[in-house]
Amino acid sequence: MDIITQKDIRILVITSNESIHSDFKAALDEGSIGENYTVDFASNMPEALEMAEEAMLENHPYQLAFINAQTLTKRDALETVGQIGREYPELQVIICTSHSDTSWKEKIGQSGWSDKLLTLTLPFDNFEVKQILFSLSEKNLLRNQLDQMKGRQTKLTTRITQLQENLQQAEEHGEKMKKAAERGPKFLGRYLANISHEIRTPLNAIIGFSDGILQANSIETVGKHAQVILNESEHLLRLINEMLDHAKIEAGKIDLENRPVDLLWLLESVVSSSSVLAKNKELKLNVSKESNVPQYITGDSLRIRQILMNLVNNAVKFTEHGSVSIHVEAPVLEEGQTGVRFSITDTGMGIAKDKQEMIFESFTQADVSTTRKFGGTGLGTSISKQLVEMMGGQIGLESEPGNGSTFWFDIPYDECEEPTEDDQLALVSEHRGFEPEHVKNIHILIVEDYEPNQDVAKLHLENSGHTVDIACNGQEAVDMCENNTYELIIMDVQMPVMDGYDATKNIRSGASSCRNIPIMGLTANAEKDTQQACLEAGMNDVATKPIRRKPLLNAINKLISQTDGDSTASSDRESPHDAPGETQKKNEPLDYESAAEEFGSIEVVKELSGRLIDNIEKQIKIMKEAMETNDMESLRRESHSVKGGAATLEAMPISEIAKQLEELSKTSKIDEIPDVFENFINEFERLREFVSDFSQLKKINSESDDKKLNT
Amino acid sequence: MKFLVTDDEFIALTKITSILSKFGDCDVATNGGQALEMFMDSVVKGELYDLMTIDIEMPDINGLKVLQLICKSEQKQNLHPAKKIIVSAEGKAQNVIDAAGYKCEFLEKPVMRETLINKLIKLCIVKSEQGVNADA
């Protein structure tokens, strides 16, 4: 309940008659009437008006005015009271008249002010005065309350108006949301129509060709059909993965990893995956990187690769002639944060400004006809945008119709140290899925006069699945080129009869089918002059002896992919995961990755493989003795032991040969043993070298300073 | 969990030990005689092994013989028998039967991580989630 504070009631008594002043005072002082009041006196109207004004300015106006009728001149009496009434509408006026003066009563009656004007007959009764005061102060109280109520009402009205506005806004908002939600099904409908076509197409092919296999008459047909099924299935898988990705992102269910990312490897992998497509369209694929770009950053390797692949694939897809260039730099982003920026520039048809916004939206492609012509879900770029934004980065594009396009994205990064051993392991396993495309099964001519070198090179290359011929000197090489087709020649420089330079010049100027194939020179001399001479003679590349397996294979890959369609993308580093692809993994002397998984630690595997080598070396001596003395039991025991140990350590090739020896010694097939034993020794040497290579591996990358990629 | 791993071939020994170490403490023996000594030790100390893996092909005492001796001893002294896995490079039926005769599991070499863990789950040495989550 509100406490209505009241100020004193102010009373103004207007009379020139002094005795009325004191009478009033006495009347008011007598006994308490429970109210607070103050009385002021004025002798005439002008003075009274002044005082009234002052009181008003003090914000404590008079509420009661007792006016002695005699103070008012007869003529302007009513006007004066009227004036007071107008200026002070809340002032209650009481005219004090004498018994004999009835004029006031008449006047009041005529004027119609009977509710505003009171009369008090003089001499007055104290009691009467008090009663007037009571009722007037009651009236005052009520008036105050009314004012406050009015005030509150105003506030409430304002509040209600506000609420009404809010309600209206909420309704409008609701309408908007409703409309947006209704649009959803429409989009979904369009999306499903698009997707359904994309999914049905490969499925039709799969079903059709599966049927074809059931009807097929020849193994050849079966093979062809199977290949198509495989391709279409992979395409379908990619589609579905994209859709799932999109759904997961929309549902907020993607977690980004935060582990060391090898940027160089990433680039290489993306480039080699795209190079096939680029080659087919005769597009040049360029990669460049600024020197301040770090080797490792923390992030999600898989997802960054996904974004890159999407943009690069799009660039390749939508470019008919020219090139696609990937550039990596390390700009400083907003707020001083370090970032990595990837830009993918193509010489394609460009994208109109009004279509550019749509590029990153879901389910839209620049043109309805685009989907029909180029396929795809319309999801790839929108997923890329979402992923980039999840990483805290930005994505964008610059393009003009007819002038190609540049898609770019930044990601902020934290610099990362060399990955730990466990990270290395993880990286290696991850990379296993992304083997760069390796040249498969080409016909190679090795031109080398020194026999052991011939054998070593042949061994390396045959293990990688290639077919190898040997020429002992330059002349033989020229002859063999006339009669055979090769994809590559490895040409030693220093040879009798005809050296490497002359042989190369000969082949280049000749008319054989080998005229323009890549020739790799081999020289023991690492000097610049020699290298220069080789290149001038017509060789494409020069390697220095002794050449080991991995650099040899890498160099071959580089040469072959360079001269095919001129796609230039490889690095100079040596790395174990550049080893031959999945299908050739079985030929690895020791499968380090599987062993590491089985034993739980790559260090343990390294240590055990060292010990295995030492042990087998000793066992070979025992086995040789056993062969000399025809002690089959001893031979069997040692072979059995090697078979077991090697197999446990995932060194399958040597385990297999040891198994053969075990069998032969069990059945005492003495004549067959020496040949198999020779294989065994060779495989052991292969294993020994392999193990020693791997043991020296401290980091995944080589120690070489030159980390620039070729452009 | 206490384990005894017996194998004269160091690679297999290391592999089995590295896998089992995730689930308990491993003691190793490189021949039958050593294995028997360690078994007797454990009885004396009152700290029996929960599981023993025994390689069959060993130079001094054949693994099956070791198994036989241990089982007899457990019976005689009324001990709670340890779970046992016989490991062999030969998948010969003979060995399998012998193993079964002695209430024993059988593992073929080369021992694969997953196979061994499945055996551990079967023998209730390891709960299936544990096995699945055993990190490399």
Side-chain angles (χ1 to χ4, degrees), chain A residues 172-281:
Chain A
E172 283 169 14
H173 186 69
E175 270 300 310
K176 261 196 230 166
M177 292 285 106
K178 186 173 154 208
K179 287 208 182 111
E182 279 167 4
R183 263 190 304 204
K186 284 196 208 141
F187 272 154
L188 190 62
R190 202 168 66 178
Y191 171 54
L192 285 176
N194 249 355
I195 287 297
S196 147
H197 170 75
E198 293 301 322
I199 291 181
R200 284 219 200 98
T201 310
L203 269 176
N204 279 336
I206 292 168
I207 293 171
F209 282 93
S210 299
D211 226 347
I213 285 181
L214 292 170
Q215 313 291 338
N217 290 329
S218 72
I219 263 282
E220 208 193 314
T221 321
V222 170
K224 283 194 192 147
H225 289 342
Q227 186 61 52
V228 175
I229 292 172
L230 185 61
N231 293 344
E232 295 296 313
S233 305
E234 281 172 354
H235 176 68
L236 187 58
L237 182 62
R238 268 193 299 275
L239 260 177
I240 292 174
N241 280 339
E242 251 181 41
M243 283 159 54
L244 281 175
D245 253 356
H246 180 78
K248 262 194 255 178
I249 294 180
E250 295 279 293
K253 278 195 171 21
I254 295 251
D255 287 320
L256 290 178
E257 298 228 327
N258 212 24
R259 287 188 318 167
V261 174
D262 184 344
L263 283 181
L264 279 183
W265 173 84
L266 199 87
L267 280 169
E268 251 197 20
S269 151
V270 166
V271 161
S272 63
S273 296
S274 329
S275 60
V276 176
L277 199 59
K279 249 189 264 177
N280 289 343
K281 295 181 82 171

Side-chain angles (χ1 to χ4, degrees), chain A residues 530-542:
Chain A
T530 321
Q531 296 206 351
Q532 197 58 34
C534 287
L535 296 172
E536 276 170 27
M539 299 186 201
N540 302 79
D541 196 7
V542 188

Side-chain angles (χ1 to χ4, degrees), chain A residues 62-101:
Chain A
Y62 290 107
Q63 279 149 343
L64 294 176
F66 288 90
I67 310 179
N68 189 356
Q70 286 171 353
T71 320
L72 299 167
T73 63
K74 287 194 163 86
R75 214 174 315 157
D76 57 7
L78 262 167
E79 282 93 49
T80 316
V81 173
Q83 183 190 0
I84 298 176
R86 278 190 298 277
E87 280 186 45
Y88 304 97
E90 314 238 316
L91 182 65
Q92 187 68 56
V93 174
I94 303 132
I95 311 283
C96 303
T97 62
S98 60
H99 264 293
S100 49
D101 184 0

Side-chain angles (χ1 to χ4, degrees), chain A residues 437-449:
Chain A
E437 298 238 359
H438 275 271
V439 175
K440 290 188 170 83
N441 199 8
I442 54 172
H443 200 181
I444 305 178
L445 176 63
I446 300 181
V447 190
E448 162 71 58
D449 63 324

